Amino acid sequence: QVQLIESGGGSVQAGGSLRLSCAASGQTFSSYVMGWFRQAPGNEREFVAAIRWSTASTYYADSVKGRFTISRDSAKNTVDLQMNSLKPEDTAVYYCAARRSILIVTNSGGFDSWGQGTQVTVSS
């Protein structure tokens, strides 16, 4: 059974940076896609970024392209999200997710396992 544990959230001023990390366990992830989603109060959960574990191919939401970078460390079984040039609209709970497929999708329903979430707050 897949377990995902996020860490690294916090509060930062606009223009600052944060790095989120997701520790993954319970499976061999070579045939998985890992993703980050976020959900702000009153909003639906939205796609942020995804990475195919086997090839490290990545895909980003337009809203974060050029500011966020997703990466994975196969030795540590972690998936990180480096967030730079943060904006107040990036404020949300960020979730790590795993999809048992090599195809990258952006809908939350396409992911099988979820972490508990970590809060990111960006002040202006």
Side-chain angles (χ1 to χ4, degrees):
Q1 187 170 352
V2 174
Q3 287 191 322
L4 305 171
I5 301 176
E6 302 99 334
S7 61
S11 298
V12 66
Q13 288 191 327
S17 299
L18 281 174
R19 188 176 184 91
L20 306 183
S21 187
C22 173
S25 62
Q27 286 290 340
T28 301
F29 292 97
S30 58
S31 298
Y32 274 68
V33 165
M34 306 297 291
W36 284 95
F37 287 75
R38 65 187 181 187
Q39 188 167 17
N43 291 357
E44 293 188 353
R45 193 167 296 189
E46 66 170 353
F47 171 80
V48 175
I51 186 167
R52 182 181 295 121
W53 195 282
S54 57
T55 62
S57 301
T58 58
Y59 189 78
Y60 297 92
D62 287 343
S63 58
V64 306
K65 202 173 295 182
R67 300 188 298 124
F68 290 12
T69 302
I70 187 172
S71 61
R72 60 100 174 94
D73 186 323
S74 295
K76 297 180 181 178
N77 260 17
T78 56
V79 179
D80 289 354
L81 185 68
Q82 177 66 43
M83 305 185 294
N84 299 328
S85 301
L86 283 161
K87 305 175 181 180
E89 50 264 43
D90 294 318
T91 294
V93 176
Y94 283 70
Y95 296 90
C96 177
R99 167 176 164 83
R100 194 170 53 192
S101 169
I102 63 171
L103 298 179
I104 292 178
V105 298
T106 61
N107 60 301
S108 59
F111 285 76
D112 310 298
S113 302
W114 294 85
Q116 81 287 353
T118 186
Q119 177 70 46
V120 171
T121 303
V122 184
S123 58
S124 57

